[in-house]
Each structure stands twice: as C-alpha cells, then as structure tokens.
Amino acid sequence: MEGSEKELYRLLNAKGIDFELVRHKPIWHVLDADFELKGQALKSLLLKNRSASRFYLVVAPAEIKLDLKQLAKDLDDTRLSFASEEELAELLKVKPGAVTPFACLFHNPKKLRLYLDSRIVQSGLVGCPPFRNDKTLWIRAEDFRYLLSRV
C-alpha cells in the first residue's frame, strides 16, 4: 500500500497542478473533521453489486446522503453494498477511512467503475484523503475532474 501517496504528489507536480495538504488527527468520516474545510469535502465509497462481479468507486459531496437503492437503479445494477476491508486493499490498495478517488489513477482493475456524483462542485476547491485518513488534499475542482477523466 505504500508509495501511492508519493506517486500522487509526483503526478500532481508533473502536471503542474497546485494542491494543499492539511494534516489532522485521523478521521473516518469527513463530516467528523475538527478542522476548517477549505471547499467541498468529498466522500468516496467502494460499493459492489450482489454477486461482487462489479465494483463502483462512488465519489460524492460529503454532506449528501446516498440512496443505494436508487444508485443501483441509476447504474443499472443489482443491490449495492459496501466492499469489505479485503476488497478495499485488493482493488484500491487502501485501508478503511482512506478511500480516495485518486486510487483509480494507479489501481484500476477492469471490474471497477468510477462514478462521480453530479453534485460535486464545478469550481472552487474539493478535498479528499491522499491514501491516508490523517491528511486532506485540497485541489481545484477543475483539476480534480481533469485528472479523473483519464480513468
């Protein structure tokens, strides 16, 4: 699991993308943060269909409550549930609490699809963990979308 955080910083620097890191105590849910949010905080959930034949990395604003039944319909799939800790490690090389959309840039098996919620801001800053839950990486929304359009 090591190296992905450094790979992310190298990629951002190579692309000339500005970012800010905020160090903080480990958090499991973005809304539990005891620090100032510099923009829209995002949550990332690794979900799977009933047969575990397809996985979805769903990225949405942290304050949004996702309806998994409706999301399954929108994705034209069966009932969705959360992936296990083992599946997180296998597919994204992350631990619970550190799920990040940036994992798709480095670890994207064929059975994984990225889903960006339409309510993510188009401009301003977005924040998510850089492969660990004791830091938040803030990046311009435009740069975030640019990076993930490669997936």
Side-chain angles (χ1 to χ4, degrees):
M1 287 188 213
E2 293 186 63
S4 294
E5 181 182 5
K6 288 181 183 177
E7 289 172 348
L8 174 60
Y9 302 150
R10 274 196 293 271
L11 175 66
L12 293 172
N13 287 324
K15 297 281 185 192
I17 295 174
D18 293 329
F19 62 94
E20 182 181 348
L21 277 176
V22 175
R23 297 175 194 277
H24 48 75
K25 69 178 185 179
I27 56 173
W28 301 104
H29 303 286
V30 162
L31 297 179
D32 294 338
D34 64 353
F35 55 89
E36 178 187 352
L37 300 177
K38 297 178 179 290
Q40 185 180 58
L42 302 179
K43 62 181 170 187
S44 300
L45 308 172
L46 185 60
L47 304 174
K48 61 183 177 181
N49 66 354
R50 183 178 301 214
S51 63
S53 60
R54 282 183 297 283
F55 288 80
Y56 301 94
L57 181 56
V58 176
V59 183
E63 69 276 4
I64 300 296
K65 183 173 170 38
L66 291 172
D67 178 343
L68 295 186
K69 286 183 182 180
Q70 183 60 50
L71 185 58
K73 287 179 186 175
D74 293 346
L75 295 169
D76 196 28
D77 212 327
T78 59
R79 182 180 58 90
L80 298 175
S81 61
F82 290 93
S84 68
E85 189 171 334
E86 294 78 19
E87 290 163 331
L88 279 174
E90 176 190 338
L91 295 170
L92 298 177
K93 313 293 187 244
V94 297
K95 296 179 182 179
V99 178
T100 177
F102 299 122
C104 285
L105 298 172
F106 307 102
H107 316 289
N108 193 1
K110 293 186 188 316
K111 61 183 174 179
L112 177 66
R113 287 181 45 199
L114 176 65
Y115 175 83
L116 297 178
D117 190 280
S118 62
R119 293 167 284 193
I120 296 173
V121 294
Q122 298 296 318
S123 61
L125 296 175
V126 295
C128 50
F131 295 91
R132 48 191 297 168
N133 68 349
D134 62 349
K135 293 180 184 177
T136 297
L137 185 142
W138 294 97
I139 185 173
R140 290 178 351 133
E142 299 89 343
D143 292 333
F144 175 78
R145 290 181 184 282
Y146 164 74
L147 281 173
L148 293 175
S149 69
R150 300 175 41 200
V151 175

